[in-house]
Amino acid sequence: MHVDEIHRIAAFIPGDKEGLGRCVQVFFREGTTGCIDLGLQSFIRRLANTFALNLIEARRRFGAITGQKNLVPLVLTPFLLYVPIKSRNPLISGDPAYGYFRLRSVIEVSETPGPCTLRLEGAQSITVRQSYRTVCRRLRTARKLESLLVDRYWQDMDALRTAGCTHQIYKPFSMQENMHFYGISDVERMKEVGCMELRNLMEELVYQRLNEVLAAEKTEACNCEQCRLDMAALALNDLPPRYVVTQRGATYSKADILEIQRYVDVVAAVTKAVKVVQQKPGQNCKR
């Protein structure tokens, strides 16, 4: 299986098909579906082999970070992480029940249809067999893990540039054997990072939402600079950072913004921050 094919997968869940027996149902990010004549574990091993991933080591390593012994997220790269969620009730003992959902492909989590439904890229929805609260908790854990891995990635890239190591393939994780781990296909692309800058898209989203809330006619929140900064800081502390590399001075693209909005609740964080500051403004408030 090629890396580009794997990047198209929004979710994969265990299934049964007449004439095939056990199989894997695949939901692609563009909205199509497919069925692969493999058991779930065999399919996961095939994904892992594509990325030269040691599954036992990965589960031990990432399980220690998340505090989980079982149902550890499947991390193919820091930017390609699949969350295990119960997608069906087992038919017999040993029957696989958990599907895997790409963290960045989950657009919305809803309590209806119950017990919980995930809306994915490609306008596809999957009703799972776990509660809304459990699903949200699993997604939060996965986001925290993703943030740690992305942070580790940037630290390693900084160390690489400092050392001037642009003449060899970069392998920051022992389980990874090629540059596809970070979506960088060759050494020349890695050199280009030196003339780029790191930006947190979450700040753009928070300020965008904050402006909308404060401009609303019914809001009584203070609009002074001090309160705005306090609100933004509170909201950003409740949200995972989302970093992108862009040319210095470049503006954010709408595609980048939409990608972030798919899997973080910026609205809730900003609304909460506004209420907190409104009830207890800082000492330097100009009101």
Side-chain angles (χ1 to χ4, degrees):
M1 184 173 291
H2 193 271
V3 170
D4 292 338
E5 294 176 317
I6 297 174
H7 275 275
R8 293 177 53 224
I9 299 176
F12 58 92
I13 65 176
D16 295 280
K17 190 171 184 180
E18 186 176 356
L20 290 177
R22 290 184 178 179
C23 64
V24 175
Q25 291 180 270
V26 181
F27 298 79
F28 295 104
R29 296 171 61 189
E30 65 269 24
T32 59
T33 61
C35 185
I36 297 178
D37 186 14
L38 282 175
L40 183 70
Q41 292 305 316
S42 296
F43 183 70
I44 290 175
R45 285 194 292 270
R46 179 171 292 188
L47 297 181
N49 289 338
T50 301
F51 288 85
L53 176 69
N54 183 321
L55 283 171
I56 295 176
E57 171 62 18
R59 286 167 182 157
R60 181 197 65 77
R61 185 177 196 174
F62 300 128
I65 295 175
T66 59
Q68 297 172 293
K69 291 185 179 180
N70 300 309
L71 302 176
V72 179
L74 174 63
V75 181
L76 299 178
T77 83
F79 308 101
L80 189 59
L81 188 153
Y82 288 87
V83 185
I85 297 173
K86 190 174 183 180
S87 58
R88 70 173 187 171
N89 294 319
L91 302 177
I92 59 175
S93 178
D95 198 28
Y98 282 79
Y100 286 77
F101 297 79
R102 181 178 180 266
L103 179 61
R104 295 194 173 201
S105 291
V106 177
I107 298 174
E108 182 182 359
V109 183
S110 174
E111 295 182 87
T112 55
C116 182
T117 295
L118 300 178
R119 187 162 66 90
L120 308 176
E121 288 181 287
Q124 300 185 92
S125 296
I126 302 176
T127 299
V128 296
R129 308 313 304 168
Q130 288 188 298
S131 68
Y132 174 81
R133 180 175 296 182
T134 298
V135 171
C136 288
R137 184 176 67 248
R138 290 190 178 279
L139 292 174
R140 284 196 300 270
T141 299
R143 287 170 189 148
K144 290 179 181 178
L145 176 59
E146 182 192 56
S147 294
L148 288 172
L149 295 177
V150 171
D151 183 60
R152 164 69 187 276
Y153 160 64
W154 291 119
Q155 290 176 10
D156 288 336
M157 290 297 287
D158 286 341
L160 179 67
R161 288 197 299 270
T162 300
C165 300
T166 59
H167 63 283
Q168 59 184 355
I169 295 297
Y170 178 46
K171 298 188 293 184
F173 284 66
S174 59
M175 70 179 72
Q176 207 57 39
E177 296 298 329
N178 56 60
M179 292 302 294
H180 285 298
F181 190 95
Y182 291 130
I184 300 175
S185 59
D186 55 33
V187 179
E188 290 303 316
R189 281 284 294 113
M190 187 166 57
K191 290 179 181 179
E192 292 176 10
V193 177
C195 64
M196 308 292 275
E197 69 176 0
L198 179 64
R199 305 182 76 170
N200 182 7
L201 285 184
M202 199 61 69
E203 293 184 23
E204 174 77 8
L205 290 173
V206 165
Y207 277 110
Q208 176 182 316
R209 178 56 186 167
L210 186 58
N211 290 335
E212 294 172 357
V213 171
L214 295 178
E217 295 181 1
K218 295 182 180 180
T219 183
E220 298 179 357
C222 178
N223 196 22
C224 75
E225 185 64 21
Q226 180 61 51
C227 287
R228 291 173 64 87
L229 289 174
D230 289 342
M231 293 169 188
L234 285 172
L236 286 168
N237 283 336
D238 279 346
L239 294 166
R242 289 291 177 258
Y243 294 105
V244 295
V245 178
T246 181
Q247 291 182 348
R248 290 192 177 96
T251 58
Y252 302 120
S253 71
K254 291 184 178 180
D256 290 332
I257 297 298
L258 290 174
E259 173 71 12
I260 303 306
Q261 287 176 319
R262 287 180 178 134
Y263 60 97
V264 292
D265 195 351
V266 177
V267 173
V270 170
T271 303
K272 175 184 173 183
V274 170
K275 289 181 179 179
V276 170
V277 175
Q278 181 179 352
Q279 294 172 1
K280 190 176 181 181
Q283 294 181 348
N284 297 322
C285 174
K286 303 301 182 182
R287 171 173 286 186

